[in-house]
Amino acid sequence: MSLLSLTCTQSIYFSTSPPQHLPTKFKNFPFPSTSSTRAATLKFSPFSQKLLGNGNWVSHRNRFHAKSADSEPNANQPSAQVSQENGTVSNSSGNPSTSFLSILCPLLKLFSGGDPSQERNYSLELATSSLSTLARLPWGSKALSDNLYSEEITTLDPPMRLQLFEFEACPFCRRVREAMTELDLSVEVYPCPKGSLRHREMVGRSGGKEQFPFLIDPNTGISLYESGDIVNYLFQQYGKGRSPSTGLLESTLFTGWMPTILRAGRGMTLWEKARQDPPPKKLELFSYENNAYARIVREALCELELAYILHNVGEGSMRTKLLLDASQSKEVPYFIDPNTGAQFGDYKKILSYLFQTYSAATV
């Protein structure tokens, strides 16, 4: 397990003592002593106890950094360095996955279907999305509460929804979403496509760098960057300490890129005609990560940079009754727009609605 950097930035309120439901490893952290004071957003893994004891600390402008031994996905890259001007973390070698995506993105655009709002070859769309589903079997299709671990994992949504900043085409974001399906979690998703007008800036302000995925858990005050550590944290906090599903983390380097390539970069770049102002209320989507139809809808939501509430309803989900009440069916995707009252269960209708309603031309 790699040792992660721990960064504290002013942003979230804690009580005078650490929350009682935090894992034991978190409770030794020095929480603020004054009540209702603005406390720090903590970015570290629940497996960072060794780091807290032995890490090399640097403090600057109320921001603390522990130098990392390695970082995802290349364990040989140099340690993060602290900027003496603004206290943010930078890496001289860059993130290998980011560099690869920078090369891959323009190449995939050459083979993409062009303007996502235009009429599509739906047979081809569904074929490539179905192949993407096959590439990621068995992850992200089933809630673990339905299998032999049902006594171990009986997830109920936490009081406040988790917040996930990601983009659909990113393989490391994908495995976090797969874990959320398996843990049967409902989350707020903030798509961060390349060219983002809103959400990437929010991540930069909150965490100090634009790296994805980025998770905020307002229930514990924890925020994390690295996908492997996010997955471990989710299972630790909401899977009653169970280890992630076999192969979920390790498989990303082998099959995690397949949906990105097969879908020709859909869900990677902001649509040039997307509205700049977000709708007043978040959209809602019933989905599960490895569903071929729902994937196409999530790509569109990313390309339009529309924040939405993701209701995961994998096989065996305890949220299935909620879906039945809303749609009289167990089929996904099912889409709700509380801003207009629109509700759809057909992915083609959802796509048409999104690009018509949230185009800059309709403002």
Side-chain angles (χ1 to χ4, degrees):
M1 176 61 62
S2 62
L3 306 182
L4 301 189
S5 61
L6 184 156
T7 308
C8 299
T9 56
Q10 292 184 343
S11 62
I12 293 179
Y13 289 94
F14 280 128
S15 63
T16 56
S17 61
Q20 294 304 306
H21 56 278
L22 278 174
T24 303
K25 291 185 176 68
F26 291 133
K27 292 184 178 179
N28 294 328
F29 192 84
F31 285 83
S33 57
T34 57
S35 68
S36 299
T37 55
R38 185 172 283 273
T41 299
L42 312 181
K43 285 172 277 300
F44 57 98
S45 164
F47 308 97
S48 298
Q49 186 177 34
K50 189 173 181 180
L51 174 65
L52 295 176
N54 302 322
N56 297 316
W57 295 91
V58 180
S59 66
H60 185 73
R61 295 189 183 180
N62 202 32
R63 195 176 287 228
F64 304 92
H65 301 270
K67 293 184 179 179
S68 172
D70 56 11
S71 179
E72 175 194 85
N74 183 356
N76 296 319
Q77 62 185 355
S79 298
Q81 296 179 347
V82 181
S83 165
Q84 293 302 311
E85 294 182 0
N86 55 21
T88 59
V89 177
S90 63
N91 192 303
S92 58
S93 65
N95 189 313
S97 63
T98 302
S99 300
F100 183 65
L101 279 175
S102 299
I103 298 171
L104 186 63
C105 183
L107 290 177
L108 290 176
K109 288 191 71 174
L110 295 175
F111 299 97
S112 69
D115 189 332
S117 67
Q118 299 303 306
E119 186 67 24
R120 304 187 184 194
N121 182 336
Y122 285 110
S123 296
L124 179 62
E125 292 277 313
L126 188 55
T128 56
S129 188
S130 297
L131 288 172
S132 300
T133 293
L134 289 173
R136 291 303 295 158
L137 284 176
W139 304 286
S141 298
K142 189 174 183 179
L144 294 181
S145 56
D146 188 50
N147 66 16
L148 58 87
Y149 296 101
S150 57
E151 293 183 0
E152 222 176 302
I153 298 181
T154 53
T155 307
L156 293 175
D157 283 328
M160 293 180 284
R161 286 193 184 92
L162 308 182
Q163 300 167 0
L164 179 64
F165 293 80
E166 50 86 67
F167 60 97
E168 180 66 25
C170 170
F172 300 103
C173 302
R174 183 172 297 114
R175 67 178 174 187
V176 171
R177 298 192 305 265
E178 289 169 345
M180 289 176 164
T181 292
E182 295 187 356
L183 291 170
D184 207 17
L185 291 168
S186 177
V187 300
E188 293 180 5
V189 177
Y190 295 85
C192 301
K194 292 177 69 67
S196 164
L197 299 173
R198 297 183 295 274
H199 300 153
R200 286 194 174 222
E201 182 182 355
M202 291 168 63
V203 173
R205 289 200 307 265
S206 298
K209 56 183 175 179
E210 294 183 6
Q211 178 179 309
F212 307 97
F214 179 63
L215 177 78
I216 297 176
D217 187 346
N219 301 284
T220 61
I222 300 299
S223 57
L224 286 164
Y225 273 109
E226 305 288 345
S227 66
D229 294 276
I230 292 173
V231 170
N232 282 318
Y233 170 77
L234 291 174
F235 274 88
Q236 175 77 22
Q237 186 71 19
Y238 299 107
K240 296 193 174 181
R242 180 177 179 265
S243 298
S245 303
T246 303
L248 174 61
L249 297 177
E250 298 83 357
S251 64
T252 298
L253 294 178
F254 299 99
T255 63
W257 292 96
M258 293 306 296
T260 304
I261 295 171
L262 288 166
R263 295 295 297 148
R266 291 285 195 193
M268 180 180 288
T269 305
L270 181 70
W271 183 44
E272 59 184 9
K273 298 178 183 177
R275 281 174 53 172
Q276 295 189 15
D277 56 313
K281 299 177 182 177
K282 289 183 180 66
L283 312 181
E284 298 186 42
L285 181 68
F286 287 86
S287 167
Y288 61 86
E289 176 57 30
N290 214 16
N291 182 274
Y293 301 95
R295 177 182 292 108
I296 298 173
V297 173
R298 294 195 309 267
E299 290 168 351
L301 290 167
C302 185
E303 291 167 340
L304 289 161
E305 200 178 1
L306 293 170
Y308 61 99
I309 298 171
L310 175 62
H311 301 291
N312 277 307
V313 282
E315 181 184 348
S317 170
M318 292 182 287
R319 204 169 286 104
T320 302
K321 187 180 184 301
L322 183 61
L323 173 60
L324 281 170
D325 292 341
S327 67
Q328 288 73 56
S329 171
K330 293 183 179 180
E331 298 299 316
V332 296
Y334 189 74
F335 169 81
I336 300 172
D337 187 343
N339 301 283
T340 65
Q343 300 187 32
F344 302 100
D346 181 277
Y347 80 102
K348 297 178 186 177
K349 291 181 179 179
I350 298 173
L351 287 182
S352 176
Y353 171 83
L354 287 173
F355 285 108
Q356 288 181 19
T357 306
Y358 294 102
S359 162
T362 63
V363 177

